[in-house]
Amino acid sequence: MVQKESSLERDIEDTRAVMTEKIDMIENRVNETMEGTKATIDNVMEKVKGVQETIDTAKSTIDNILDTIKHTMEETIERV
């Protein structure tokens, strides 16, 4: 009986060690996935900021062109 208990305790310890190793592997994979996801999100956010800056620059340029056209038209109307 003592030998069966000892064998059972070893089996439990072996199972516990294997489970701990597998849990550690899963934890590492989850961490790698989270880090990769964060890096991807950071990259996308940087690109979105770049696009926003481009849009802002284009809007400012268009506003300046429209102001120039308006001013030119007003001068032309005055001359006529």
Side-chain angles (χ1 to χ4, degrees), residues 26-76:
I26 291 169
E27 183 180 9
N28 288 337
R29 284 185 186 174
V30 167
N31 285 335
E32 288 172 4
T33 301
M34 288 176 61
E35 289 172 7
T37 301
K38 183 183 180 308
T40 300
I41 290 171
D42 289 345
N43 188 17
V44 168
M45 290 305 296
E46 285 299 316
K47 290 184 182 203
V48 167
K49 287 178 186 176
V51 169
Q52 183 62 46
E53 289 172 4
T54 301
I55 289 170
D56 290 344
T57 300
K59 183 181 179 296
S60 177
T61 301
I62 290 169
D63 287 344
N64 288 337
I65 290 170
L66 290 174
D67 284 344
T68 301
I69 291 171
K70 181 180 175 185
H71 181 71
T72 302
M73 288 182 68
E74 288 172 353
E75 284 182 346
T76 303

